[in-house]
Amino acid sequence: MFTSRRIVIAVGAASLVACAAQAPSRQPAFGAAVSAEEIARWDISIPPSGAGLPRGGGSAGQGLKVYEEKCQSCHGAKGAGKPADPLAGGIGSLAGKTPQRTVGSYWPYATTLFDYVRRAMPITNPLSLTDDEVYAVSAYVLFLNGIVGEDAVLNAQTLPQVRMPNHDGFVSDWPPRARN
């Protein structure tokens, strides 16, 4: 007499045997081949050096307009936060009892800001900003943190030159060397 448990075990074992019996030349059919154009569309990482930054540019003044339209609803006026994390303030707070991890206090490279905004923002429509808008919003957020002036124009040449307050707060080589 077979119980339902024995039937389930028997069906499962039969399924495993059937899968194992398939010809080894048969490959799983997962999705479709990805074209070089599709790979290029997603291969947009920007390292700390700024290699691969696109053409274009923008200033904090231009970034204010983009920020108000596409960022402020999550990050608040002047990057103060709510409902998402604050983007400005907290410089020098990391060693204190209440560290504030913002773009200005925590992030070591301005190019990381560009990369993240370009890839993931706005959260409701990632990859929707033009390169000029990303440069401009990056300039605005850096301006809010007192890192660049309001008239500074960020582009592929100037962005990697921006020195962040926490630039030396990360280990950039492995294994770490003794620091003098």
Side-chain angles (χ1 to χ4, degrees), residues 85-150:
D85 293 336
L87 301 173
I91 294 176
S93 71
L94 294 181
K97 292 184 184 209
T98 56
Q100 295 177 28
R101 291 178 186 91
T102 66
V103 170
S105 70
Y106 186 71
W107 293 35
Y109 308 106
T111 53
T112 304
L113 173 63
F114 180 94
D115 179 78
Y116 186 74
V117 170
R118 181 184 190 200
R119 173 185 314 285
M121 293 292 133
I123 196 76
T124 57
N125 196 9
L127 296 170
S128 64
L129 299 176
T130 68
D131 292 334
D132 288 336
E133 288 175 321
V134 178
Y135 278 117
V137 167
S138 298
Y140 180 67
V141 170
L142 294 171
F143 167 71
L144 289 175
N145 282 282
I147 297 169
V148 301
E150 189 171 10

Side-chain angles (χ1 to χ4, degrees), residues 4-98:
S4 60
R5 185 175 183 181
R6 287 183 180 167
I7 292 172
V8 169
I9 291 171
V11 169
S15 297
L16 288 173
V17 169
C19 288
Q22 285 185 341
S25 64
R26 187 169 171 179
Q27 297 293 319
F30 296 117
V34 179
S35 70
E37 293 80 23
E38 289 172 303
I39 291 172
R41 181 172 178 261
W42 286 94
D43 186 18
I44 59 172
S45 296
I46 303 297
S49 69
L53 279 167
R55 294 177 190 221
S59 68
Q62 294 164 328
L64 169 62
K65 295 172 186 145
V66 177
Y67 182 89
E68 288 176 338
E69 182 181 322
K70 300 181 181 186
C71 312
Q72 185 168 301
S73 63
C74 290
H75 292 286
K78 298 187 178 185
K82 302 292 183 232
D85 293 336
L87 301 173
I91 294 176
S93 71
L94 294 181
K97 292 184 184 209
T98 56

